[in-house]
Amino acid sequence: MHDQEVTLVERPDGIRIVRVDHPEDADPFRASFAGAYQDIFSEPPYNERFFPSEAQSTLHRYLQTAGHVTLFAVAGRRRVVGFGIGVPASSKPDIARDLHGLLPVQHTFYLAELGVLEGYRGRGIGRQLIEQRLEAVDHRRYTHVVLRVSAVKNVSYNMYMNMGFDDIGVYTEVHARRIGQCERGRLGHLGLRGHLHLVPIAHPPHLAEGPHLPDDLRLPEDLRLPEDLRLPE
């Protein structure tokens, strides 16, 4: 029998940052997570529609990925108002492909998902979800962290820069579901043993550089992250 969720942070505003390690531990949060996921990604710049079953399937896949770090920001007993998920870069074929020749894929962690409901933004929840994921990464195994953000320099981009990431000019195209168009994104890179770096990716990807960071990479303006990248010096 597994332990249930573990509370990592209890904030003064009553919101808890909890970690879930096993699919069954997430059962009490699944419906609320799905609602938050739908709301966050229906907003600009994503404008995507997900069925509750699709959002829950996304969560289930992450929870079954070896080495994942899944965090929820929870208000009250079970209401998910934010989430942060990360997985080994090697578990994401598209990310591993973009990182090939730039970073040691087997030693790189990917910050895949980050989202906070609109009414809870501006409170530092997104930043905490990033910081707690970085703390949870196995630093004996992973030396780098990557994430993807919009190519448009917005609140999320500025947040990463303020956290020490460097934009390394690597760009990638991210297909936007439901609206049949691609969105340009930046890969952000952070070296766990050095300075922080943010990377942009293009076609073909260029080299980058950097230290410290989160996967899916389409994120609502205040948070939810995907990728930018650079080679460690």
Side-chain angles (χ1 to χ4, degrees):
M1 185 172 180
H2 300 122
D3 292 334
Q4 294 184 340
E5 79 273 4
V6 175
T7 298
L8 302 178
V9 177
E10 293 196 18
R11 294 163 46 98
D13 58 7
I15 294 172
R16 297 175 293 130
I17 306 297
V18 304
R19 176 174 180 174
V20 294
D21 291 329
H22 307 285
E24 56 268 39
D25 298 338
D27 287 347
F29 302 104
R30 288 182 188 276
S32 183
F33 167 83
Y37 194 92
Q38 288 178 286
D39 289 347
I40 290 168
F41 290 105
S42 68
E43 302 171 349
Y46 309 108
N47 301 315
E48 300 184 62
R49 295 191 184 93
F50 291 94
F51 293 112
S53 59
E54 293 177 302
Q56 292 193 34
S57 292
T58 295
L59 174 61
H60 191 68
R61 284 196 300 273
Y62 284 131
L63 290 170
Q64 290 188 311
T65 300
H68 75 90
V69 174
T70 299
L71 307 181
F72 296 145
V74 179
R77 293 190 60 190
R78 293 287 185 255
R79 188 188 178 202
V80 175
V81 300
F83 51 84
I85 303 171
V87 293
S90 59
S91 71
K92 303 287 291 183
D94 57 330
I95 300 303
R97 181 188 62 244
D98 288 341
L99 295 179
H100 182 69
L102 298 176
L103 294 173
V105 174
Q106 295 301 321
H107 299 287
T108 299
F109 196 79
Y110 179 56
L111 299 182
E113 305 276 355
L114 178 64
V116 175
L117 287 172
E118 184 177 13
Y120 290 84
R121 295 173 190 167
R123 304 188 191 185
I125 296 173
R127 187 184 183 101
Q128 269 189 312
L129 288 167
I130 296 167
E131 293 172 340
Q132 289 298 316
R133 275 182 295 174
L134 293 176
E135 286 188 23
V137 171
D138 184 350
H139 290 218
R140 297 167 299 178
R141 176 178 178 183
Y142 300 105
T143 56
H144 302 83
V145 176
V146 296
L147 61 82
R148 183 165 53 200
V149 294
S150 173
V152 178
K153 296 181 180 180
N154 54 17
V155 172
S156 297
Y157 176 89
N158 292 332
M159 175 178 66
Y160 287 115
M161 295 300 286
N162 290 335
M163 292 181 73
F165 287 89
D166 292 329
D167 186 334
I168 55 180
V170 182
Y171 295 85
T172 186
E173 293 295 329
V174 182
H175 181 70
R177 292 192 49 205
R178 308 298 188 196
I179 55 178
Q181 64 186 39
C182 288
E183 175 180 317
R184 206 178 190 207
R186 295 170 181 262
L187 282 180
H189 162 241
L190 172 64
L192 290 176
R193 294 181 180 171
H195 303 48
L196 304 181
H197 298 316
L198 197 83
V199 181
I201 266 201
H203 351 258
H206 294 95
L207 290 185
E209 157 190 332
H212 196 152
L213 274 204
D215 157 23
D216 213 320
L217 315 171
R218 318 158 199 150
L219 52 108
E221 278 204 324
D222 201 11
L223 349 274
R224 188 224 187 195
L225 297 130
E227 349 170 325
D228 251 9
L229 156 103
R230 202 177 190 186
L231 279 183
E233 298 182 359

